[in-house]
Amino acid sequence: MVEPTGALHVVPVDELFFSTTDAKGIIDLSNSVFTRMSRYSREQLRGAPHNLIRHPEMPGAAFKVMWDTLQSGEPFAAYVRNLAADGSEYRVFATITPLADGGYLSVRSRPCDDSLYSAVSDIYAVVRKAEREAMAAGKNRREAAEIGVGVLVDTLHGAGIATYESFQNAALVSEVALREARADGFPVRSGESALVSALDKARAVYEHFSSWMSTQEILSQMATDIAQTVKRVDEDMAYMAEVGQKFTLYGADRPELASLTMPLTVWVQMQGIVGGYMDSLSAKLDELTLNVSRTQFRIALSRLHIYMYGHFVAEVLDFDEDDDSTYDQFRALVMLGEALQDDIRTLRTQTARTATFMQAVRDYVRQVAEAVAIPRQLLSLWETTADMTVRDSLGSELAATVAGAKNRADSSLRELEHFGNSVDKSDELYSEFSELDDLLGDMCEIVNAIVRSRR
């Protein structure tokens, strides 16, 4: 068993590496970067369990969450400390994606978001400590990992992170953007090989995703706007509810002022209706926020996979074709191409789902705006019909309070109108997939034709 030496070797920012496993985590395919980083030979890696490179300081909870996520059919992403064959450590940001054959594809890169990596390292230390204490108390590894999951969730909540999924979605988007900003770019090769044409097609797919990276920024800003809109409108509604209490107190002992306070009384009664609309809108906005983050995640994952594909094609082109491992390289290219096509199919479904939520939110925003507009009109009615002979101190205070409530209602309406307009513009975010499908199909067919010619 390999013991950690404390040494650290860093993954270069331009290095991407992958491996595939079967459903039980047994390694099948990999690229040369993986062998170089793990310091195991390809022969040692093939047929070995992927936990061969697990660092003992990694909490079992992280892998419990990973397997739960993968077995539900969803991809997983995490910061991971790995242990090389010589006992040195190398750190990666890893994504693991279920494959159609029941296995898994893992793509790893250097962690680029230092603040996120540092925060996760601190969380892992807390979780690992809890797991060790559980095992010291007689729990087995599985039980300790389950306890660790609870600690992980609680620690994330303490850091203001609602779920692990929300963390991984944001982390992948950040890591892909930062790594691409620092790396040398998509590889380019020349020559007569058909693989050069496949690489050109892959580059076209990569560039197609460039516009989607800006879509990520729009989606990210929209998610921020969602949170801010809900917060401000909720604050306005809370203020108006407080104002309603003052209206009730003012008119309670003044039956002679019934005609004056009637619009305000109706306004107070409508706050429950407006609140119901707001509760429904908040629920829809939560669903939209989650789906926006999932769309961002899928865009980033697809971008990462096409980048990995391009680098591996370049590696194969640079490789000595007389080597015995050439067959596995082309088998890996076929697998990577199929994984990319699955990515796009899933992304198509995810963007359609997000568009549906956008439409639902658009409808709720309009309903809430209409609901807010009615009591706002009542406030205006009160101002224009109030008996100006009422000049006691409470009446003056009430007049100022009404003016403030009307201003808050106007603020809410502006916020809702602005957000509604941004949702209306979201229709243009969803690209036509046919060109992307054609490019990927041509790219995969080039590789498939090479494989058929070698049989």
Side-chain angles (χ1 to χ4, degrees):
M1 181 175 178
V2 176
E3 293 293 333
T5 64
L8 174 69
H9 63 278
V10 178
V11 178
V13 72
D14 282 304
E15 299 270 43
L16 279 176
F17 54 108
F18 76 89
S19 57
T20 65
T21 70
D22 65 11
K24 295 182 179 180
I26 302 302
I27 298 171
D28 180 15
L29 300 169
S30 60
N31 66 338
S32 63
V33 182
F34 185 28
T35 61
R36 190 161 61 251
M37 289 297 110
S38 69
R39 299 183 177 172
Y40 286 98
S41 69
R42 195 182 302 269
E43 292 71 26
Q44 288 173 309
L45 290 171
R46 172 173 286 177
H50 211 284
N51 62 12
L52 175 74
I53 57 172
R54 177 173 170 175
H55 195 287
E57 291 303 313
M58 277 296 297
F63 298 101
K64 174 73 166 59
V65 174
M66 178 192 77
W67 281 112
D68 288 348
T69 303
L70 293 175
Q71 289 170 2
S72 73
E74 297 297 325
F76 177 81
Y79 292 97
V80 181
R81 297 171 65 181
N82 285 333
L83 188 65
D86 62 359
S88 63
E89 175 183 345
Y90 62 103
R91 300 164 182 174
V92 300
F93 183 76
T95 63
I96 305 96
T97 306
L99 297 172
D101 65 0
Y104 302 100
L105 165 66
S106 177
V107 176
R108 277 94 76 196
S109 59
R110 174 180 179 170
C112 291
D113 193 322
D114 295 334
S115 62
L116 277 181
Y117 182 82
S118 177
V120 168
S121 294
D122 291 342
I123 291 172
Y124 282 173
V126 171
V127 176
R128 189 67 180 124
K129 180 175 181 292
E131 291 176 351
R132 284 201 174 98
E133 290 173 351
M135 293 179 69
K139 302 293 185 181
N140 60 35
R141 288 184 179 274
R142 182 184 296 275
E143 292 169 334
E146 290 174 351
I147 291 171
V149 170
V151 176
L152 175 62
V153 170
D154 290 343
T155 309
L156 287 173
H157 284 171
I161 301 169
T163 63
Y164 185 83
E165 182 189 3
S166 63
F167 168 78
Q168 75 161 17
N169 291 357
L172 178 61
V173 171
S174 176
E175 285 293 336
V176 169
L178 288 173
R179 195 196 63 77
E180 290 192 3
R182 298 174 189 176
D184 288 340
F186 202 85
V188 177
R189 297 292 186 273
S190 59
E192 300 300 321
S193 171
L195 275 184
V196 172
S197 179
L199 184 59
D200 290 341
K201 296 288 185 184
R203 184 179 183 84
V205 172
Y206 173 79
E207 291 173 348
H208 194 92
F209 272 107
S210 294
S211 62
W212 285 36
M213 295 300 282
S214 61
T215 297
Q216 284 191 26
E217 295 173 5
I218 296 171
L219 290 172
S220 179
Q221 185 58 50
M222 185 170 291
T224 300
D225 288 345
I226 290 170
Q228 292 176 346
T229 297
V230 171
K231 182 175 183 293
R232 284 194 285 260
V233 175
D234 276 344
E235 288 173 351
D236 290 342
M237 295 300 106
Y239 175 83
M240 292 179 193
E242 182 180 340
V243 170
Q245 296 294 326
K246 294 184 178 180
F247 291 166
T248 302
L249 291 173
Y250 183 75
D253 298 325
R254 295 172 173 81
E256 73 277 7
L257 300 179
S259 61
L260 173 65
T261 59
M262 185 178 296
L264 303 184
T265 302
V266 176
W267 184 89
V268 170
Q269 292 171 346
M270 288 201 65
Q271 294 312 299
I273 298 173
V274 173
Y277 278 114
M278 274 303 301
D279 289 343
S280 297
L281 176 59
S282 295
K284 287 296 177 185
L285 288 174
D286 287 343
E287 293 175 340
L288 176 58
T289 300
L290 176 60
N291 273 272
V292 164
S293 72
R294 286 174 173 171
T295 300
Q296 289 179 276
F297 179 87
R298 286 291 180 174
I299 292 171
L301 184 64
S302 300
R303 175 86 164 186
L304 177 69
H305 283 173
I306 191 61
Y307 207 99
M308 178 70 259
Y309 185 91
H311 273 268
F312 190 57
V313 171
E315 178 181 323
V316 175
L317 282 166
D318 296 341
F319 198 71
D320 181 0
E321 293 193 4
D322 292 331
D323 191 277
D324 290 339
S325 61
T326 301
Y327 172 75
D328 282 342
Q329 288 179 323
F330 278 92
R331 190 160 64 93
L333 280 176
V334 171
M335 178 277 302
L336 289 171
E338 291 173 348
L340 274 162
Q341 290 178 311
D342 283 342
D343 283 346
I344 300 307
R345 282 190 286 270
T346 303
L347 183 56
R348 186 198 302 267
T349 300
Q350 180 57 43
T351 54
R353 183 179 297 121
T354 301
T356 299
F357 279 106
M358 291 281 189
Q359 179 62 54
V361 166
R362 181 187 293 125
D363 293 341
Y364 271 90
V365 165
R366 288 170 179 158
Q367 291 176 2
V368 171
E370 290 171 0
V372 172
I374 295 171
R376 192 269 183 211
Q377 291 171 354
L378 289 170
L379 297 179
S380 295
L381 177 64
W382 184 88
E383 285 187 324
T384 58
T385 60
D387 184 353
M388 299 310 294
T389 62
V390 179
R391 296 188 178 279
D392 61 8
S393 59
L394 186 56
S396 298
E397 180 185 349
L398 181 58
T401 303
V402 168
K406 192 175 74 169
N407 288 337
R408 295 295 284 263
D410 288 342
S411 172
S412 287
L413 285 169
R414 285 193 298 271
E415 288 290 338
L416 291 167
E417 181 181 6
H418 171 73
F419 181 71
N421 289 338
S422 69
V423 172
D424 284 338
K425 293 178 181 177
S426 68
D427 292 338
E428 62 196 47
L429 297 178
Y430 304 106
S431 302
E432 183 62 45
F433 282 88
S434 57
E435 181 181 354
L436 197 55
D437 289 337
D438 291 343
L439 284 169
L440 281 172
D442 291 346
M443 180 189 80
C444 292
E445 178 53 32
I446 290 170
V447 174
N448 290 338
I450 294 173
V451 171
R452 287 194 298 268
S453 70
R454 291 175 176 236
R455 286 175 180 165

